[in-house]
Amino acid sequence: MKKRLFSYTLLIVCTGLVCFFIASVFITYTNNIHFAKEAVIETARIYADLFSESTDLEAFVRAGNRTRITVISSDGRVLADTRPLDVSELANHLSRPEIKAANDGTPSAFVRYSDTLHMELIYYAVKVPSGDSFVFIRAAIPVAQVGGYLWRSVPLLILVLILVIVISFFFARGMAGRVIIPLDSVYQKLKSLAKGEVSKSPITQSYEEINRITLEIDDISGLLQQNIDNLRGEKLKLDYILNNIGDGLIAVDKDGTVSLANTGVLRIFGSSEDVIGKKLNYLTYEKALIQAIEDCGTRGQSALFEITIDGSIFLVTVKRLPDTELTMAVLSNVTENRENAKRREEFFANASHELKTPLTAIKGLNELTMINSKDESITKYLSGIARETDRMLSLIGDMLKLSELENSKGLNPVPVMLRRTVDDVKETLSSLMADRAILFEADGDGEVMAEPGHIYELLKNLIENAVRYNNNGGSIKVVVTRVNKNHMLTVSDTGIGISSAEQTRIFERFYRVEKSRSQQGGGTGLGLSIVKHICTLYDWKLSLKSKPGIGTEITVLF
Ligand code: ADP
């Protein structure tokens, strides 16, 4: 920039000087011509005043030295001339423009080429009376004489020009340097700012504008420093949290490069080296994880699955971070949870089994006692025992079904006609429906691949609930329709409905909205859990719509 500034300044100064030089030469030249013309006019007039009839012409013209004086007769003959010429041989001068002008009474100066002297001259002629006639007194000076003064002064002018250019050279260099100094200081300031050094003083006092810029830079650098400090603090906090959450956390770029990996994930994969900026397989060869991260990166498809690493079970959540190109994977160790759940399920199944045998025995013995009992008050207690044992048996039955579903190892699906199972369930529940004057309607049919027992359980639980939580005289509708290539089952009722707050909880084990009503109707609180488990087993989609006081609609998309 300094070089450019210097060159531009020098170029501008030199161009200005050269233009000025040419203009001065031109103006001086035209002025000189003008003054020369005036001198010629003046001289011609003086000579005209001095002329009389008795003038000795030879002496008269010889008085002109540098100025050429010519006396011309009224008929255009040259009578005498300052230059040593043979005047008798000269052509008639009446047609000369200065003679013509003087003859017409409008004398004027002319610059023209002289055929006699072969040079350019400035001419002026005056018409002077002489006896009865008149003569023309003409004065002339060579143009070269005018230019001669000028050309003599040109070397001096050129010398001055060169001197001024040399001075301009040093001036331009000094100026370029002076302009650059404050800019250079701004540059230095920005450089130190980039290194993280913040100073708080204006660099120069001589340039108001530069001062303002540096003060502005100071302000910005102060703010930047503050933001950097805040960010550093936040990063430290974040790093601390990320490295102490226990879960493994990893963020991967679109091109598969690791951009974040906390100590948890390094521990899980037993990696001791820094994997940031490296490809994912520097950290792990776990196929399912790599594939899920790739799928999420390219198609934005989230994933939730489990992987086992060195005997530990990890629940992996893969998600695309919104507004970024990053894919995030969180690995949570669920080994303990799984083991606890397994232990719970085993206890659940064993306890149910163990309870079922003595209860069946109690039920049998109770029935025998009832048959043999003649005492009505005792029979009343015995039928109470029978009712509670039935309830406990159905509860144990549901618990066993649930643990069977949970521990199910492989399915044996066969084609099952839905309508047929609906009719079977209707048959089973017919007395219950009749008791409550409930209208039952079934529509549509379809075949699904499943274990028949599972379809029966699913339909029995849904339809039984529709009866149990219906109003007396209400109605139930079971419809099978086709959605694309799949079948869809809808069980709807005009019952008491479920509030939206309860809707998320009713699929939990033993969760009942109204415990008393559920118990009275023989409910165990496990019906919808069984339905949900069956749907999960076959990957069927279960959904619920309900409004308190209007009714409930449960849909299964097979
Ligand atoms: P329960 O054996 O108590 O019926 P479920 O798991 O089958 O247990 O149902 C859980 C709870 O959901 C029930 O206690 C009941 O409050 C509510 N519920 C289930 N189905 C319906 C329905 N069709 N209408 C209203 N409430 C229902």
Side-chain angles (χ1 to χ4, degrees), residues 320-326:
R320 169 86 67 83
L321 285 185
D323 303 328
T324 65
E325 304 258 279
L326 290 178

Side-chain angles (χ1 to χ4, degrees), residues 465 468-469 493 498 506 511-513 518 523-525 527-528 552:
N465 279 351
R468 207 179 290 155
Y469 303 106
D493 63 63
I498 310 156
I506 54 165
Y511 189 83
R512 281 170 288 189
V513 179
S518 164
T524 58
L528 288 182
T552 304

Side-chain angles (χ1 to χ4, degrees), residues 68 110-112 114 117 119-123 140-143:
R68 178 186 170 196
F110 287 90
V111 178
R112 66 172 178 81
S114 162
L117 297 178
M119 63 170 74
E120 276 220 304
L121 289 154
I122 304 167
Y123 291 100
I141 59 165
V143 172

Side-chain angles (χ1 to χ4, degrees), residues 416-433:
V416 182
M417 293 309 288
L418 287 170
R419 183 60 180 270
R420 212 156 143 194
T421 321
V422 171
D423 290 342
D424 287 351
V425 174
K426 184 191 163 193
E427 192 58 40
T428 316
L429 300 173
S430 57
S431 68
L432 192 63
M433 284 192 239

